[in-house]
Each structure stands twice: as structure tokens, then as C-alpha cells.
């Protein structure tokens, strides 16, 4: 997919750039949909407790990445959800685990959306890209007093 690319920063150092679409799926009655955990193809379990997200191809628009990731991770098509808005890009810099001497810059695109279909706690899918089984749950929103 060409998910990462290299660039020279303003200070002249080489950095690895990854663009990530973060799907914030909210339901006023149930809260926010989280990836609860994954079962990897080798049987290991990885606990996540985070909003579904995915890396964007370098030439992909945020909306195209959202549609692709909703299909790959949640097995949902465009008719199954409604995009509210995509926030301005947020940037985080972290050391790269794969490339220890190379800084990784993450450009995060938080996308707010609602589902047009019912998804219950325990909803699961098989990731179409790598075969891992993904389990989802709703996290209640804090009550306002």
C-alpha cells in the first residue's frame, strides 16, 4: 500500500512519516465503539481498548482511507455509516521501533462518524488484510452533571 514515506525535516534530519485515519464511532446511547482485542493468526491475543484506526496509503485521501478501513476492519460498506467530520491533522513524533535511529512522525486524522446499523458488544470481524480476528465493544461516555 505504500503506507510510510521518508522526508527530510526542516531541521535537515530524515524522518519516516505515517498517515493514520482514526475512526471515532459514537452512539449517544452506547458511547464510543472500541477495538477491545485482537486474536492474531498465530493465536496470541492483543488487548487494545482504542478506537479503530488504520494507516493511509501515501496517495490516499482521508475519506478514501476511512471507507477502506471501515470495510477491512469492521466489514462495513459506505451505506452502513455516515461521516460527520474529519478533524484537522494532529501530529505525534515517536521513536521508530522498526528503525531505531529513525524518528517516526504520525499524522493523525480523527474521523467522527455514526453507524446506520446496529453493532452489539462482542461484534467481531476477520481483518481482510492480515486475517486477525477483531472484537469490538462500546465504552460508555462519562455522564455530564
Amino acid at each position: 500500500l505504500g503506507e510510510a514515506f521518508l522526508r527530510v525535516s526542516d531541521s535537515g534530519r530524515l524522518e519516516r512519516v505515517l498517515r493514520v485515519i482514526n475512526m471515532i464511532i459514537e452512539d449517544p446511547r452506547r458511547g464510543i465503539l472500541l477495538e477491545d482485542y485482537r486474536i492474531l493468526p498465530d493465536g496470541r491475543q492483543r488487548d487494545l481498548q482504542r478506537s479503530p484506526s488504520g494507516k493511509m496509503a501515501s496517495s490516499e485521501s482521508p475519506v478514501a482511507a476511512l471507507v477502506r478501513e471501515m470495510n477491512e476492519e469492521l466489514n462495513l460498506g459506505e451505506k452502513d455509516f455516515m461521516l460527520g467530520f474529519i478533524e484537522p491533522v494532529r501530529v505525534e513524533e515517536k521513536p521508530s521501533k522498526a528503525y531505531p535511529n529513525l524518528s517516526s512522525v504520525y499524522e493523525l486524522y480523527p474521523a467522527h462518524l455514526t453507524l446506520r446499523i446496529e453493532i452489539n458488544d462482542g461484534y467481531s470481524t476477520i481483518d481482510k488484510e492480515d486475517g486477525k480476528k477483531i472484537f469490538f465493544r462500546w465504552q460508555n461516555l462519562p455522564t455530564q452533571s
Side-chain angles (χ1 to χ4, degrees), residues 19-65:
R19 298 166 61 226
V20 177
I21 190 80
N22 184 20
M23 298 166 276
I24 302 164
I25 303 166
E26 193 171 341
D27 180 297
R29 295 175 295 123
R30 297 180 290 175
I32 295 176
L33 188 67
L34 299 179
E35 277 188 71
D36 194 13
Y37 63 95
R38 293 180 178 191
I39 304 291
L40 304 177
D42 64 7
R44 289 179 295 141
Q45 180 173 320
R46 180 172 292 149
D47 293 327
L48 297 168
Q49 309 304 312
R50 67 176 188 203
S51 294
S53 63
K55 294 176 191 152
M56 298 168 55
S58 58
S59 62
E60 196 171 33
S61 74
V63 172

Side-chain angles (χ1 to χ4, degrees), residues 127-138:
D127 188 297
K128 294 178 180 178
E129 186 179 10
D130 60 13
K132 60 189 168 253
K133 191 165 188 181
I134 308 170
F135 293 83
F136 298 90
R137 73 172 180 83
W138 290 98

Side-chain angles (χ1 to χ4, degrees), residues 11 16 22 27 29-30 49-50 63 70-71 74-75 80 97 102 105-106 113-114 118-119 125-126 137 140 144:
S11 64
R16 178 174 170 248
N22 184 20
D27 180 297
R29 295 175 295 123
R30 297 180 290 175
Q49 309 304 312
R50 67 176 188 203
V63 172
M70 288 292 286
N71 182 264
L74 286 124
N75 200 28
D80 298 325
K97 292 177 185 175
L102 187 61
V105 174
Y106 291 83
L113 52 118
T114 55
E118 268 312 295
I119 286 184
T125 62
I126 304 289
R137 73 172 180 83
N140 293 330
Q144 303 290 326

